[in-house]
Amino acid sequence: MEAYIFSAALRDMLRPKRLIPWMIVVVLIAVVGAQASNYFEGATAVQKYGLLSSMFVFRLVALASAVFSTAVIAQEVEQKTVVYLLTRPVRRWKILLFRTLASITAVIIICVLCQLCFGALVLGPSKMFGATFLPDLEAIVLGAAAYGGFFVFISLIANKATTICLLYAFGAETMFSNTPGSLIYGSIFGHMSGLAQHPSLPDGNGGALKLLAGSMGDNPIVPSTAVPAMILIAAVFMGIGCFWFSEFEYLPREDAE
Amino acid sequence: MIVFQEASRWYGQIIGLNDVTCTIPTGVTALLGLNGAGKSTMLRMITGQIRATTGTVSVYGQTPFANPEVYKLIGYCPEIDNFYEHMNGFQFVEHLGRLAGYGKTEARERSRRMIERVGMADRAHKKIAGYSKGMRQRVKLAQAMIHDPQAVLLDEPLNGLDPVGRREFMQLLQTFSEDGKTILVSSHILFEVEQMTSNIVLLHRGRLLATGNIGVIRELIDKYPHRIRIATTQAREVATQLAGLPYISNISFERDGLEIQTREPDKFYDYLPSLAVQHGLPIDGFSSPDNNLESVFRYLVTN
């Protein structure tokens, strides 16, 4: 049963109609990234990759998570098909948990594809599996889990969840990452960057792009902090989400008589 | 057995269901009421989508809210016309069969049987997006029945169906009720409900107005005399005979007979044959305009 909930949700999330636009985004990111890498003088390929990967690939994790997390329950509520899910003989928390895992898997698949394309074009096929590959992969997987858990919870408690999630990911997180102090600990993106440990560009390089990449300030987060933090964020929000979904009612608003 | 015990449901400051106590027995029961009467709220409480704000709802002895054990016993055909449009009818029913806990083979076999039973076998492999309203209703019914539940709840299943579709759908429900299932059908179209069952639960503005057999309910409305129309070519002679009966409160003449009013219809029906047999008066037919849901509903709701 659990396996079916997961596989059915994953199939739905990755059906061609949904996947093709993401594939276009992936290719676009890789091409734009490759073009952008030509503009940094005096920086090594790995340094360029580091900045652009934070700017594009890690941001794609947040974007895809914001979109896919709404497909877990919020979209079903909006389309009113949630009633079919809620009247099946299966515990609600299982529905939420395995659909959330499916959405995280979908995000990971898309973002890893993006990482591969991006690496192939920016670093070249021979260097793409170098020292940055595994930490980036780990950051993508854990980032997708943390964003997934958090955003699914947001989608359970708020309307217009996608907008809220995107505001968090591209507004609050950019601010947290670029602000000196401990605000960065409240940013999943900050933890992903801390885990990836991308090398900085030489001084005077990057300019405003550094702002977008969240690397204006020093990131005090180290991998040994980032890994448990992201696991904790994912687990806590998934746990709260499962509790919330089991205890509260989910009806389309206009259906209330 | 579905039991409501002083159950109320509030949506903020709006009341959806107000202090309802009733029992839904086996067989076909119609849940009647105007739009906004609380029918869907009642069905959602039974299907555990929402909780009672006060009071209790029990389905086969269990609290239904988010209770998988209850969902094994009930099937729900919602009013909404929303589906996973990218699926075809068979995939939709099979998918919900899988979520009911069946393995792939079992879910497929059950889907095939149910699709066949609801008369969709030849169209099951077309995309739901291209289905007519009637086809969508049938597919919804198939998904509700796939796990062979003891009770089936249908929220306005006849909405949007053409006359032929309605008749076919009602016949379909009849076959399910013959299997000994509890079937609760909500509707605001009294005429249609009347053709399905005489057992009703009548709601108005969230309150339970009446429950039970429509005939019995009608008899309880003693505030209003029961009207009976008698078709006869000798209306005056028949009226003369009836005028002396103590339980006849009014007689009026109509174009092809007369209409009487009585507070004791049973006594009148006992007496009626003697009009023809003992007095030799021609009785071409009789009918009771009050013995339909429309009038019961009107009496109860407007007064």
Side-chain angles (χ1 to χ4, degrees):
Chain A
M1 167 73 89
E2 292 80 6
Y4 180 74
I5 297 171
F6 174 82
S7 62
L10 187 60
R11 264 201 314 274
D12 180 48
M13 287 169 191
L14 293 181
R15 65 193 150 94
K17 198 178 171 185
R18 286 186 169 176
L19 191 59
I20 288 169
W22 284 108
M23 289 301 101
I24 293 170
V25 171
V26 163
V27 172
L28 212 62
I29 283 176
V31 171
V32 171
Q35 288 301 312
S37 67
N38 295 327
Y39 294 99
F40 302 105
E41 287 178 10
T44 65
V46 175
Q47 285 172 327
K48 291 176 191 175
Y49 171 84
L51 179 85
L52 295 171
S53 172
S54 296
M55 221 174 90
F56 291 114
V57 183
F58 286 7
R59 293 297 193 184
L60 183 68
V61 176
L63 176 69
S65 296
V67 174
F68 280 102
S69 62
T70 58
V72 173
I73 294 298
Q75 190 178 294
E76 297 270 355
V77 174
E78 198 176 308
Q79 293 174 351
K80 301 185 183 180
T81 45
V82 71
V83 63
Y84 298 117
L85 291 180
L86 297 185
T87 53
R88 296 290 122 185
V90 51
R91 296 263 167 221
R92 284 188 176 191
W93 68 264
K94 284 187 183 176
I95 295 175
L96 185 85
L97 180 65
F98 289 97
R99 286 177 67 87
T100 303
L101 292 177
S103 85
I104 292 169
T105 307
V107 171
I108 290 171
I109 290 171
I110 288 166
C111 293
V112 169
L113 275 174
C114 185
Q115 184 201 5
L116 292 173
C117 293
F118 192 79
L121 286 182
V122 176
L123 291 173
S126 58
K127 292 181 182 169
M128 62 185 277
F129 295 109
T132 56
F133 182 75
L134 278 180
D136 274 16
L137 184 64
E138 203 179 351
I140 288 170
V141 171
L142 290 178
Y147 276 125
F150 181 48
F151 288 172
V152 166
F153 176 66
I154 296 292
S155 75
L156 291 177
I157 62 169
N159 293 323
K160 299 185 191 303
T162 309
T163 310
I164 295 170
C165 295
L166 290 176
L167 280 174
Y168 168 78
F170 292 94
E173 287 213 308
T174 305
M175 188 188 79
F176 294 167
S177 301
N178 289 305
T179 308
S182 56
L183 274 176
I184 196 167
Y185 286 101
S187 156
I188 295 168
F189 178 80
H191 288 289
M192 288 173 74
S193 301
L195 177 56
Q197 292 290 316
H198 289 145
S200 303
L201 284 176
D203 285 344
N205 239 320
L209 291 181
K210 277 182 150 179
L211 184 76
L212 294 174
S215 53
M216 290 291 278
D218 289 332
N219 187 346
I221 300 172
V222 293
S224 60
T225 313
V227 171
M230 285 195 280
I231 291 172
L232 194 67
I233 291 168
V236 166
F237 282 106
M238 274 191 228
I240 300 172
C242 287
F243 168 77
W244 197 277
F245 191 58
S246 300
E247 288 301 311
F248 293 92
E249 297 168 356
Y250 280 88
L251 277 180
R253 259 173 204 278
E254 63 271 32
D255 277 6
E257 285 178 61
Chain B
M1 192 77 87
I2 299 164
V3 181
F4 279 71
Q5 192 67 44
E6 297 173 358
S8 297
R9 168 68 197 199
W10 290 81
Y11 296 103
Q13 295 195 340
I14 299 165
I15 193 156
L17 206 63
N18 190 356
D19 198 25
V20 168
T21 297
C22 69
T23 301
I24 314 288
T26 308
V28 182
T29 301
L31 185 56
L32 279 170
L34 302 170
N35 288 331
K39 305 184 295 294
S40 294
T41 296
M42 201 165 174
L43 289 177
R44 287 191 190 120
M45 287 163 86
I46 297 169
T47 53
Q49 295 176 72
I50 57 175
R51 289 188 175 98
T53 311
T54 58
T56 59
V57 181
S58 147
V59 178
Y60 296 102
Q62 301 182 73
T63 304
F65 185 81
N67 186 347
E69 295 307 313
V70 168
Y71 299 136
K72 286 178 186 165
L73 303 173
I74 62 171
Y76 180 47
C77 182
E79 184 185 6
I80 54 152
D81 195 33
N82 301 58
F83 294 83
Y84 303 113
E85 302 277 345
H86 59 281
M87 293 182 180
N88 64 40
F90 187 87
Q91 286 169 336
F92 179 72
V93 177
E94 187 196 0
H95 171 60
L96 294 171
R98 294 294 306 271
L99 289 178
Y102 297 115
K104 193 173 184 177
T105 315
E106 175 78 4
R108 282 204 168 164
E109 179 53 26
R110 282 176 174 266
S111 304
R112 193 191 55 74
R113 280 208 304 268
M114 285 317 304
I115 289 273
E116 215 168 81
R117 188 153 183 202
V118 299
M120 284 288 293
D122 53 337
R123 294 156 289 183
H125 293 283
K126 288 182 180 170
K127 282 264 160 56
I128 292 176
Y131 280 5
S132 68
K133 181 79 181 178
M135 290 155 81
R136 286 167 168 253
Q137 294 288 28
R138 285 164 190 264
V139 166
K140 273 199 291 189
L141 183 61
Q143 66 80 25
M145 301 289 295
I146 190 167
H147 54 300
D148 196 24
Q150 290 181 33
V152 186
L153 312 156
L154 302 106
D155 198 352
E156 303 273 5
L158 304 174
N159 264 6
L161 294 185
D162 59 35
V164 176
R166 286 177 185 197
R167 198 178 61 242
E168 287 176 357
F169 203 84
M170 284 192 276
Q171 284 169 351
L172 197 58
L173 293 184
Q174 212 58 50
T175 64
F176 285 125
S177 83
E178 284 161 10
D179 292 347
K181 297 190 184 306
T182 298
I183 296 184
L184 182 60
V185 187
S186 89
S187 179
H188 62 279
I189 305 170
L190 307 179
F191 169 71
E192 289 166 347
V193 164
E194 197 175 16
Q195 295 175 338
M196 277 189 273
T197 181
S198 58
N199 198 29
I200 64 166
V201 171
L202 190 61
L203 294 171
H204 185 61
R205 292 182 185 166
R207 281 193 173 276
L208 182 67
L209 282 185
T211 176
N213 184 282
I214 180 170
V216 175
I217 291 168
R218 181 62 192 85
E219 283 167 20
L220 291 173
I221 311 171
D222 53 6
K223 187 177 172 184
Y224 296 90
H226 197 98
R227 292 184 299 155
I228 299 167
R229 284 185 188 145
I230 302 168
T232 176
T233 50
Q234 295 182 31
R236 284 187 177 280
E237 289 78 1
V238 172
T240 305
Q241 292 300 323
L242 295 177
L245 300 174
Y247 43 81
I248 302 291
S249 56
N250 188 48
I251 300 175
S252 59
F253 290 96
E254 300 204 329
R255 199 176 59 182
D256 55 355
L258 68 161
E259 181 179 299
I260 63 115
Q261 291 187 4
T262 174
R263 290 182 193 279
E264 295 174 80
D266 287 347
K267 283 188 179 174
F268 174 75
Y269 287 126
D270 287 344
Y271 174 76
L272 190 61
S274 65
L275 270 178
V277 177
Q278 289 175 15
H279 303 284
L281 294 170
I283 305 293
D284 300 329
F286 63 93
S287 63
S288 174
D290 287 345
N291 248 350
N292 59 58
L293 286 173
E294 190 76 53
S295 51
V296 170
F297 192 70
R298 194 176 59 241
Y299 284 138
L300 290 171
V301 168
T302 58
N303 298 280

